[in-house]
Amino acid sequence: GTSGGEEDTNFDPGYEPDWAVISNVKKEREQVLVKDSGAARSEKPTDFLKSRSQWAFSLPLSELHSIRRTRFSLGRNFLVLTSRGGHPLPPLHFHRGGTRELLGALQRYIVLDQSPVDGRLYLAYPHDSGALSQSFDKLQLFDDGGADLVSRFIHDPYATTFGGFSKVTNFFRAAIRPPDAPFNARSAQNLPFQPDDEPGFELITCGVALGPKPEVTRGTPLDKWEEFLDAEGRVKNPDRVRELVFRGGIKPSQRKEVWKFLLGFYPWSSTAQERQDIIRVKTDEYFRMKVQWKSVSEEQEMRNSLLRGYRNLIERDVNRTDRHNTFFSGNDNPGLTLLHDVLMTYCMYNFDLGYVQGMSDLLAPILFVTQNEVESFWCLTGFMELLHQNFEESQEAMKQQLNQLSILLKALDPELFDFLDSQDSGSLCFCFRWLLIWFKREFSFEDILILWEALWTRLPCENFHLLIACSILESQRGELIGSDHDFNTILKHINELTMKLDLLEIIQRAEGIYLQMIQCKELPQTVQQVLGLYVSSSSEDDSPDNSETQRLLLSQSQAGATAAPVPTYP
C-alpha cells in the first residue's frame, strides 16, 4: 500500500507506508502482517499494537479479526484491519489496485469468509478453526434507510434503481451475493485482476480461455403462417417455428397469431376447432373476473386498501406508458382504457401479486399486437408465468439473476467485470431495469417486439436474456475500461444507452457469446448451470426431454464442436 498523497495534494496522512506478509518472525514462527513507514519492524508478535511510529504496525494473523474494503469518495481503495481485541489499525491505501491480491495472499495463511450482509467485510479465521460455521447474525445488517430502499424498490423500481443506489451500494452488493459464497482461493481465481506495479504478490488469476466468438447471422422473418399448419390446423413442427422466430423474428402481419402460441394461449398441438373452443372458454372466464372489480362500489373500495392501491398504481402508470405510440397517444384513447382494464383484471386473476410497476410495460406491446382485450390478457398471463418472480416482494429472483449475470460476465470478460467491481459496480445493479422488464425501456417499441418474440422461444437457452445483458455490457467495454468513470457515472452512462443500441447487433453478439461458451472445454460448472448445460440428477428425472437436450449441448461443448455460422438448436 502507499499513502494517499501521491494523487491528491490535499490529502497528506504524514506517512509513506509499506507492507508485506511475513511467513515467520524469528523463533515464534507465526504469520504476521507487517506495515511499516520505514522504521524498524517489530520482531515479536506480542508487540503488534506497539507502533514504532504513528502509522506503523505489525499484526499476527492469528489476531486478525476482520478486513474491510473501503473507498474514498475520490475512488481510491483502502483496507481497514481490525484485531480480535476490537482495535482498528491504520488503513492500508491502494492507488493502483492490489486489494484483491493482498486478500488472495492472506488466503494462504488464514480463511477469509465474506459476510453475506456486507460484501466488503471479510472475517478472518485460522484454517483449523471451526468458527467458519458461525452465524453472522450479530453483525449489523443495514440501517433503516437501506430497508426503506427495498420498499421503494418494489413500488418504483425505475426511480429507485437510478436514484438511490449510490447511497446503498454495499447493501445491494451484499443482498445479491449468495450467503454460502465465502471469499476463497477458488473464487479469487475467477476474478482476474489488472496487473499493477506493486511487488511481493503472486497474481492468482486463472481465467478460462473461451476461444474465438463464432460469427452469427440473422435470418428472414417467419412468413406464410398457414404453411406451417396441417389440414386440421395443428402446427406441424413447433421446434422449427421456434427456431425461425429466434433466427429472424416474425413478419408483423403474422405476429397476432404466432404470439398466442409462443405465450401459451394456444397449445402447439391444438387444432383450429380446439382453438375456437379455447377462445370461447377464456372469453367467458376473463369477463367473469372483470365483473368482480367492476362491481365493487366506491364505498366498498374505501374499505379495501389493497384494491384501491392497485387501482391508483395502474391509473398512474397507464397514463405514462408508451404514450408516443399512436395506439396509446392522446386523451380518452380507447387503448388506454383497454390497458387499464386488462391490468385491473389481472389483479383479480393473481391477487397475491396484484399490480407492480413495470407490468404495464409488459402488456402494452402485447395489446398493440393483438388489439384484443381478451387475447392480450391471456397472453399477458403467459408472459407473467416467465417473469412473475421478478415482481415478487422478496426480490429473490432479481438477486439470483444479477448474480447469474455476474457469473457470465466474469467468464466472458473478467477484465471488464473487475473494472466494474473496482468502481463499486460489481453487483451490476444498474442492470436491474433491464432484467425486470426485459429491456423494454432500452430499445424502441418495434425493436422490443423482435427481441421479446426471440426470447419467448427460450432458445438457445432459457437465460438468453442474461446473454443479451452481457452483449450490451461487452459493447460498452471500450467506453468503460480506461475511463474516469465511477459508480455514479457508470450508472448514468448505462441509463443513457436507452434507444441508442443496435438490437440486431446485440442479439447476434449474444448468440455468439453462447456458442463461444458452450464450445469451451473447461467451462466452469457455475456457468454451465446458468446456460442450462449442467443438470443435476433430480432435474433429469423431472424433465427427461429437456435434460437430454442439455446433455447433448454439454457433450458438444466438451468435445470442442465447431458451430456452423447458422446453427440449429434442438
Side-chain angles (χ1 to χ4, degrees):
T2 60
S3 73
E6 292 183 31
E7 296 181 355
D8 183 6
T9 57
N10 296 322
F11 179 78
D12 182 10
Y15 69 102
E16 189 176 2
D18 189 13
W19 55 263
V21 177
I22 308 301
S23 296
N24 58 75
V25 180
K26 286 198 172 181
K27 296 180 181 180
E28 286 79 5
R29 293 194 176 278
E30 183 171 9
Q31 287 88 23
V32 178
L33 178 66
V34 179
K35 177 177 180 292
D36 204 331
S37 62
R41 301 187 183 193
S42 171
E43 295 185 349
K44 294 183 179 180
T46 55
D47 294 338
F48 69 92
L49 289 179
K50 184 187 294 184
S51 298
R52 299 295 179 88
S53 69
Q54 181 182 5
W55 302 105
F57 70 82
S58 64
L59 177 69
L61 296 186
S62 61
E63 294 296 324
L64 178 62
H65 176 262
S66 66
I67 301 177
R68 179 180 292 279
R69 295 173 62 197
T70 317
R71 296 176 65 81
F72 282 126
S73 60
L74 294 177
R76 302 192 182 101
N77 292 308
F78 64 96
L79 296 179
V80 176
L81 283 66
T82 302
S83 72
R84 295 201 177 279
H87 304 290
L89 301 172
L92 297 169
H93 295 267
F94 298 80
H95 294 296
R96 299 187 302 273
T99 58
R100 291 189 177 195
E101 288 89 330
L102 175 57
L103 295 177
L106 288 173
Q107 188 73 359
R108 290 179 293 189
Y109 308 103
I110 57 176
V111 174
L112 293 177
D113 197 8
Q114 188 175 40
S115 166
V117 296
D118 187 342
R120 290 189 169 271
L121 178 66
Y122 302 89
L123 298 188
Y125 306 105
H127 276 296
D128 58 352
S129 172
L132 201 57
S133 61
Q134 293 180 353
S135 169
F136 289 98
D137 292 343
K138 295 182 180 179
L139 293 176
Q140 180 179 358
L141 301 185
F142 43 80
D143 57 24
D144 293 338
D148 176 66
L149 184 80
V150 177
S151 176
R152 288 186 285 116
F153 221 177
I154 296 166
H155 296 291
D156 197 349
Y158 311 115
T160 309
T161 298
F162 295 104
F165 267 126
S166 59
K167 299 178 182 178
V168 289
T169 305
N170 287 341
F171 167 70
F172 276 96
R173 176 190 296 276
I176 67 168
R177 287 188 188 271
D180 58 347
F183 181 94
N184 53 44
R186 178 170 296 181
S187 64
Q189 289 175 350
N190 291 331
L191 295 173
F193 319 115
Q194 295 185 20
D196 55 34
D197 298 326
E198 295 181 0
F201 286 100
E202 174 187 1
L203 198 62
I204 57 176
T205 299
C206 183
V208 176
L210 292 180
K213 190 183 284 91
E215 292 292 331
V216 175
T217 58
R218 294 283 292 169
T220 57
L222 183 146
D223 196 6
K224 300 180 180 178
W225 175 241
E226 62 278 0
E227 294 182 2
F228 294 89
L229 307 177
D230 65 16
E232 293 185 324
R234 295 186 186 87
V235 179
K236 292 183 288 188
N237 191 339
D239 288 343
R240 178 59 178 164
V241 170
R242 279 191 289 261
E243 182 185 346
L244 290 173
V245 172
F246 174 76
R247 180 69 47 217
I250 306 170
K251 192 171 182 179
S253 61
Q254 309 295 310
R255 278 191 177 124
K256 177 180 172 65
E257 194 67 17
V258 181
W259 277 24
K260 298 173 197 174
F261 288 90
L262 292 173
L263 291 169
F265 182 45
Y266 292 154
W268 291 97
S269 60
S270 62
T271 65
Q273 180 59 51
E274 288 170 341
R275 292 195 286 275
Q276 291 181 13
D277 295 338
I278 289 172
I279 290 177
R280 183 170 59 254
V281 171
K282 292 297 186 181
T283 298
D284 180 65
E285 187 176 350
Y286 172 79
F287 282 106
R288 278 191 284 108
M289 289 186 288
K290 183 175 181 179
V291 167
Q292 292 176 9
W293 65 266
K294 291 283 283 186
S295 60
V296 175
S297 66
E298 291 185 9
E299 184 179 355
Q300 287 177 304
E301 190 170 305
M302 290 299 296
R303 295 189 294 271
N304 190 331
S305 59
L306 195 57
L307 180 62
R308 188 170 66 252
Y310 290 156
R311 186 191 294 274
N312 290 338
L313 282 173
I314 289 171
E315 290 177 351
R316 183 186 67 181
D317 286 354
V318 161
N319 287 324
R320 60 186 187 185
T321 299
D322 292 318
R323 297 305 300 273
H324 60 279
N325 187 296
T326 55
F327 191 78
F328 303 106
S329 62
N331 299 322
D332 300 322
N333 189 313
L336 297 179
T337 302
L338 291 177
L339 197 63
H340 171 275
D341 288 359
V342 170
L343 292 172
M344 284 296 298
T345 305
Y346 186 83
C347 291
M348 298 294 105
Y349 173 80
N350 188 350
F351 209 87
D352 286 342
L353 179 61
Y355 177 81
V356 182
Q357 185 183 17
M359 291 168 59
S360 61
D361 283 285
L362 302 184
L363 173 60
I366 296 174
L367 187 57
F368 171 79
V369 168
T370 63
Q371 303 203 7
N372 180 284
E373 181 177 1
V374 174
E375 293 176 356
S376 66
F377 172 82
W378 291 110
C379 286
L380 174 66
T381 63
F383 197 3
M384 288 300 294
E385 284 297 311
L386 301 176
L387 297 187
H388 71 92
Q389 291 181 326
N390 288 7
F391 297 92
E392 292 177 354
E393 187 172 357
S394 69
Q395 293 293 298
E396 288 301 320
M398 292 302 300
K399 296 172 190 175
Q400 180 186 30
Q401 289 176 77
L402 288 170
N403 182 59
Q404 290 174 329
L405 178 57
S406 71
I407 289 171
L408 293 177
L409 189 60
K410 289 174 193 176
L412 173 66
D413 195 334
E415 184 182 8
L416 175 58
F417 179 85
D418 192 53
F419 168 78
L420 294 174
D421 191 50
S422 72
Q423 303 302 320
D424 282 333
S425 300
S427 65
L428 305 181
C429 58
F430 49 80
C431 301
F432 183 92
R433 186 176 72 179
W434 296 359
L435 307 183
L436 180 73
I437 53 174
W438 274 14
F439 311 95
K440 172 62 164 55
R441 300 288 182 91
E442 320 315 317
F443 295 98
S444 68
F445 195 89
E446 180 58 36
D447 279 351
I448 278 298
L449 306 184
I450 298 171
L451 175 60
W452 281 4
E453 60 198 15
L455 294 176
W456 290 335
T457 67
R458 315 307 279 158
L459 294 176
C461 64
E462 292 191 355
N463 280 327
F464 190 65
H465 66 294
L466 300 180
L467 294 173
I468 293 290
C470 283
S471 176
I472 296 174
L473 292 173
E474 192 180 51
S475 73
Q476 300 304 305
R477 188 182 198 279
E479 170 63 29
L480 295 173
I481 293 183
S483 67
D484 294 328
H485 284 305
D486 58 15
F487 178 87
N488 291 321
T489 57
I490 289 173
L491 207 59
K492 182 174 182 291
H493 174 75
I494 296 298
N495 195 29
E496 291 175 347
L497 293 178
T498 299
M499 306 301 166
K500 297 179 182 178
L501 298 167
D502 184 326
L503 176 66
L504 298 185
E505 178 184 325
I506 294 297
I507 293 179
Q508 289 176 180
R509 184 197 299 266
E511 186 182 0
I513 292 170
Y514 175 81
L515 296 173
Q516 181 184 26
M517 286 185 169
I518 68 170
Q519 293 171 32
C520 176
K521 296 181 180 180
E522 299 178 353
L523 194 66
Q525 188 179 100
T526 52
V527 179
Q528 294 178 27
Q529 290 172 330
V530 175
L531 297 180
L533 303 177
Y534 177 84
V535 185
S536 64
S537 58
S538 60
S539 61
E540 287 179 9
D541 294 338
D542 294 339
S543 181
D545 294 338
N546 192 45
S547 300
E548 184 60 35
T549 296
Q550 293 170 327
R551 285 196 298 272
L552 175 62
L553 289 173
L554 180 55
S555 65
Q556 290 175 343
S557 70
Q558 292 173 334
T562 302
V566 184
T568 298
Y569 297 105

